Amino acid sequence: MASKETLAGCPVQHALQYIGGKWQMGILWQLRKGALRFNTLKDALPNLSEKVLTENLKFFEEKGIVSKQSFLSVPPKVEYRLTADGQDLIPVIEKIIHWGYAHLQEEKVKKDTLFTPSVVMNELQQEYNTVEKAAG
Amino acid sequence: MASKETLAGCPVQHALQYIGGKWQMGILWQLRKGALRFNTLKDALPNLSEKVLTENLKFFEEKGIVSKQSFLSVPPKVEYRLTADGQDLIPVIEKIIHWGYAHLQEEKVKKDTLFTPSVVMNELQQEYNTVEKAAG
DNA sequence: TAATTAACTTACCTTAGGGTAATTAAAGGA
DNA sequence: TCCTTTAATTACCCTAAGGTAAGTTAATTA
């Protein structure tokens, strides 16, 4: 996540530092409601490895998007939460998720449209009926 | 741009196909007002190479985000424009640019804040006074 | 005849993001 | 004594995105 330092003069490139990575939006989205522990976060995002999660959290922390709270205990307990700047990203991510959701449905419906369009629609709506499941 | 086919079931990953690339938002943003020729697009986005522009336009076309119109002439003339689906992405990109712009200013101001905060602010506002310049 | 033009294509290289798997710390429990 | 737990770190590897530079096309123009 070192190359993300460059081209900071452009709003687009700047924003891309925080949302362009494969797991970045997923992580931030999970944190939108409050603090989460490392493993909770990890479990919420299947296929996300510990290494990548650590990397991303460290980057977010350095950039002031996420804050970290370590409890001195054994085994360790660490909580992550969004800073004010991080919170500002949530509506942005929300908009992206909405677009993705809408056009994902569109795509799936196009493929099956010759068969059972309404059935497909219902399946999709059940599958994605909560925004909870939208990121990850 | 081949790996972007995978993980299509997640709205976030789906959207990332179209906005996660270094130049994707810049290209789409330039096209927001109407058709542009290949070289016009290229000139509007400094440091974007022809190869990468071609790759991205081809991808967008395959995905139905951008449409292409070739005029049979020598030298060739080709125009690109957003499809309806592509247009849907503009408000999303707009939101991203707004966030990037705001937090870019914040960052720069933090660095120089001990010296001439109001001067810095003015410079920044002049530098970025048009949304035109926001993407690229 | 040679140069210019627009929109590519091709070949090559570099890098960084991400994946996999093993290892670490210290305390408490079986 | 060994295992478990949590939050990392470390050492790899692989791939794809992107950068660089040169070549291609065919008609027009100097």
Side-chain angles (χ1 to χ4, degrees), chain B residues 1-4 21-23 47 49 51-52 56 74:
Chain B
M1 225 145 294
S3 66
K4 295 189 177 171
K22 180 170 179 180
W23 299 101
N47 302 323
S49 74
K51 180 201 146 203
V52 171
N56 277 280
V74 173

Side-chain angles (χ1 to χ4, degrees), chain A residues 7-23 25-26 47 63 65 84-86 88-89 91-93 95-101 103-104 106-108 110 127-128 133-136, chain B residues 7-23 25-26 47 63 65 84-86 88-89 91-93 95-101 103-104 106-108 110 127-128 133-136:
Chain A
L7 279 174
C10 166
V12 168
Q13 305 299 333
H14 185 68
L16 226 34
Q17 291 185 294
Y18 306 105
I19 61 169
K22 180 170 180 181
W23 299 101
M25 288 196 274
N47 302 323
K63 293 296 185 178
I65 298 294
D85 284 353
D88 290 349
L89 267 170
V92 178
I93 295 173
K95 198 116 196 199
I96 294 169
I97 289 176
H98 283 339
W99 186 91
Y101 175 47
H103 290 257
L104 202 52
E106 201 180 86
E107 200 169 75
K108 285 189 178 173
K110 272 181 192 165
E127 196 173 331
Y128 289 96
K133 299 175 63 180
Chain B
L7 281 174
C10 166
V12 168
Q13 305 297 331
H14 185 67
L16 227 33
Q17 292 185 293
Y18 305 106
I19 61 169
K22 180 170 179 180
W23 299 101
M25 287 197 275
N47 302 323
K63 293 295 185 177
I65 299 293
D85 284 353
D88 289 350
L89 267 171
V92 178
I93 295 173
K95 197 119 194 196
I96 295 169
I97 289 176
H98 284 337
W99 186 92
Y101 174 48
H103 289 257
L104 203 51
E106 200 181 87
E107 200 169 75
K108 286 189 179 175
K110 272 182 193 164
E127 194 173 335
Y128 288 97
K133 299 176 64 181

Side-chain angles (χ1 to χ4, degrees), chain B residues 24-32 60 65 82 90 93:
Chain B
Q24 289 178 322
M25 287 197 275
I27 294 167
L28 298 175
W29 184 250
Q30 292 298 324
L31 291 172
R32 72 195 179 285
F60 282 141
I65 299 293
L82 296 178
I90 296 301
I93 295 173

